[in-house]
Amino acid sequence: MGGTESSISEPGSPSNRECETSRQNLSECKVWRNPLNLFRGAEYRRYTWVTGKEPLTYYDMNLSAQDHQTFFTCDTDFLRPSDTVMQKAWRERNPPARIKAAYQALELNNDCATAYVLLAEEEATTIVDAERLFKQALKAGETIYKRSQQCQHQSPQHEAQLRRDTNVLVYIKRRLAMCARKLGRIREAVKIMRDLMKEFPPLTMLNIHENLLESLLELQAYADVQAVLAKYDDISLPKSAAICYTAALLKTRTVSDKFSPETASRRGLSTAEISAVEAIHRAVEFNPHVPKYLLEMKSLILPPEHILKRGDSEAVAYAFFHLQHWKRIEGALNLLQCTWEGTFRMIPYPLEKGHLFYPYPSCTETADRELLPTFHHVSVYPKKELPFFIHFTAGLCSSTAMIALLTHQFPEIMGVFAKAVSMISRTCIEYL
């Protein structure tokens, strides 16, 4: 559900280093579940009704199907007929067939929490309807979870069942928090997220703290945002665009209202401004696609259900939810616009080397094209730009070679052409 990040290994032989590089590239290009993914029925499907475009790719939906099977099923499902039906439902590709299977599961067991989850995600056409179904799922899920807790030590199968029921309960509470956030009940959403993080600390892979960060920014509770960052913006923990850009936003907030490029060029940057610029450079190095969306140089689309860290998909997902927070802070986007491109002067060849992070992975374009819809122009970054003299030298050599070839093939014609050029040049010089 979460994905993994590569860790730094001890240097070894060249072959070992090649293997480490290969493993790092695979890890860098691993897709992660989008912690703020939208609701299929209430949001993605409504977009399709209005525009006629499919916001999700088959690859993205297939990854979600795998997540659901991992998250909501276990080896003991055959013991409960409703769970057996839901196990088939999560594997079903056709949405109407999945919804039909969920109703069949509810006929067999009115307390089937996963059936309510599926209906809330896919059948509900509004957030209010989704929240109502998730509340029914919560009631059923809590009952099943308490029952599983009592039986967890009886056998390994019961332990597996408890893990599954825990996953279901956490998922339901998290989605209820997201419903509250979308319906404007921000403080309620924050409370649910904080309680989840306290009650289930091992489930950090779900990145609930990113949901919490976004809600706290909406409340403009910047001290609380800083406290969350202090815990999760750690060198030993996986990074994300949400972590890096939120840290940059907080430092930008302290200086952006008084920042002026003309004044800064005249007197130089203050200590606080240098800190803010360094935070922006750090964020841009991690994901260089984000600024174009924040500065509205590229149009946004609905974020996918899965993202590739440091890729365009992550940039879309971050900007979709956080653009409003950057706009709210006066001068923040102005400071970003003035400074973000400086990152590439510090790291001229980011595919070969990095500064604060690993070199930018070269596989992001391929993975992002699988995750993002075809009507979206995928951002390919960074592009190598050769110096002017290399282009000039290449053009000069090519022209010389072409003239030599034509002279060899057509000596008479080229002789006449050369005399004509010579006469024209002499006339122009005499005229001047």
Side-chain angles (χ1 to χ4, degrees), residues 1 33 64-75 77 80 82-84 86-87 90 112-115 117-118 121 134 160-161 163-172 175:
M1 286 291 289
R33 183 81 176 174
S64 295
Q66 294 175 27
D67 290 342
H68 294 151
Q69 291 173 53
T70 303
F71 215 48
F72 300 143
T73 64
C74 68
D75 295 336
D77 282 346
R80 294 189 289 202
S82 59
D83 288 341
T84 304
M86 287 307 301
Q87 193 174 54
W90 296 121
C112 182
T114 52
V117 168
L118 191 149
E121 290 285 354
F134 273 121
Q161 195 167 328
R163 283 195 297 272
R164 190 276 308 275
D165 294 336
T166 302
N167 291 339
V168 172
L169 184 62
V170 171
Y171 185 91
I172 292 168
R175 292 306 255 177

Side-chain angles (χ1 to χ4, degrees), residues 131 135 173 176-181 183-195 212 215 219:
E131 184 181 43
K135 285 181 177 178
K173 287 186 175 182
L176 277 172
M178 294 175 72
C179 287
R181 164 68 183 91
L183 294 172
R185 305 196 307 273
I186 319 279
R187 296 189 185 280
E188 179 185 338
V190 168
K191 184 180 184 305
I192 296 173
M193 293 171 197
R194 288 193 186 280
D195 291 344
L212 180 60
S215 296
L219 287 175

Side-chain angles (χ1 to χ4, degrees), residues 92 144 173 204 403:
E92 180 61 56
I144 298 169
K173 287 186 175 182
T204 53
I403 291 171

Side-chain angles (χ1 to χ4, degrees), residues 39 42 120-121 124 126-135 176 179:
F39 294 85
E121 290 285 354
T126 65
I127 300 299
V128 173
D129 291 341
E131 184 181 43
R132 175 179 54 80
L133 287 164
F134 273 121
K135 285 181 177 178
L176 277 172
C179 287

Side-chain angles (χ1 to χ4, degrees), residues 103-406:
Y103 279 114
Q104 290 174 352
L106 287 174
E107 289 175 4
L108 294 170
N109 177 13
N110 195 44
D111 289 331
C112 182
T114 52
Y116 287 117
V117 168
L118 191 149
L119 294 176
E121 290 285 354
E122 302 202 19
E123 189 187 42
T125 56
T126 65
I127 300 299
V128 173
D129 291 341
E131 184 181 43
R132 175 179 54 80
L133 287 164
F134 273 121
K135 285 181 177 178
Q136 291 179 272
L138 178 63
K139 184 178 178 182
E142 286 179 331
T143 302
I144 298 169
Y145 175 71
K146 290 175 183 176
R147 196 182 305 150
S148 296
Q149 273 187 314
Q150 296 170 357
C151 305
Q152 63 177 308
H153 300 298
Q154 294 181 7
S155 68
Q157 288 78 14
H158 284 90
E159 290 180 5
Q161 195 167 328
L162 176 63
R163 283 195 297 272
R164 190 276 308 275
D165 294 336
T166 302
N167 291 339
V168 172
L169 184 62
V170 171
Y171 185 91
I172 292 168
K173 287 186 175 182
R174 180 182 190 167
R175 292 306 255 177
L176 277 172
M178 294 175 72
C179 287
R181 164 68 183 91
K182 291 173 186 292
L183 294 172
R185 305 196 307 273
I186 319 279
R187 296 189 185 280
E188 179 185 338
V190 168
K191 184 180 184 305
I192 296 173
M193 293 171 197
R194 288 193 186 280
D195 291 344
L196 266 179
M197 293 166 69
K198 288 179 184 176
E199 190 176 357
F200 303 99
L203 294 178
T204 53
M205 64 178 182
L206 298 178
N207 295 327
I208 299 174
H209 59 275
E210 294 195 13
N211 299 78
L212 180 60
L213 280 174
E214 197 280 325
S215 296
L216 290 173
L217 284 171
E218 181 63 22
L219 287 175
Q220 301 182 47
Y222 297 114
D224 291 336
V225 173
Q226 185 62 60
V228 175
L229 285 177
K231 183 176 181 181
Y232 290 97
D233 192 6
D234 185 84
I235 192 170
S236 63
L237 296 176
K239 295 291 177 289
S240 67
I243 292 289
C244 295
Y245 277 90
T246 301
L249 179 62
L250 290 191
K251 291 189 176 181
T252 299
R253 173 176 167 267
T254 61
V255 298
S256 60
D257 57 334
K258 298 176 182 177
F259 177 78
S260 167
E262 295 79 14
T263 306
S265 62
R266 211 167 40 244
R267 62 166 170 78
L269 295 174
S270 65
T271 304
E273 288 171 340
I274 290 174
S275 177
V277 171
E278 287 176 348
I280 289 173
H281 285 175
R282 171 180 180 258
V284 174
E285 182 186 348
F286 183 82
N287 193 316
H289 310 276
V290 171
K292 286 193 175 182
Y293 293 107
L294 293 180
L295 297 172
E296 298 181 88
M297 299 164 67
K298 283 194 70 176
S299 57
L300 275 171
I301 59 170
L302 295 188
E305 293 183 334
H306 290 80
I307 58 174
L308 180 67
K309 289 201 173 183
R310 307 187 74 179
D312 193 32
S313 50
E314 183 190 35
V316 169
Y318 173 80
F320 185 86
F321 293 100
H322 288 262
L323 175 58
Q324 57 182 327
H325 306 314
W326 280 81
K327 285 184 173 181
R328 185 178 294 126
I329 295 175
E330 183 183 355
L333 290 175
N334 177 47
L335 180 57
L336 177 68
Q337 185 174 20
C338 294
T339 57
W340 75 279
E341 290 181 327
T343 308
F344 305 107
R345 289 191 289 273
M346 296 167 49
I347 315 169
Y349 298 105
L351 294 174
E352 282 74 29
K353 68 168 187 170
H355 179 55
L356 299 172
F357 301 101
Y358 284 118
Y360 189 80
S362 57
C363 58
T364 53
E365 179 184 357
T366 304
D368 276 332
R369 290 192 188 282
E370 294 286 338
L371 289 170
L372 296 167
T374 54
F375 58 82
H376 174 70
H377 179 67
V378 175
S379 177
V380 182
Y381 230 36
K383 294 180 180 178
K384 281 188 180 179
E385 294 187 1
L386 296 174
F388 170 75
F389 77 89
I390 292 181
H391 290 287
F392 177 76
T393 305
L396 184 62
C397 292
S398 300
S399 303
T400 305
M402 182 63 69
I403 291 171
L405 178 63
L406 291 173

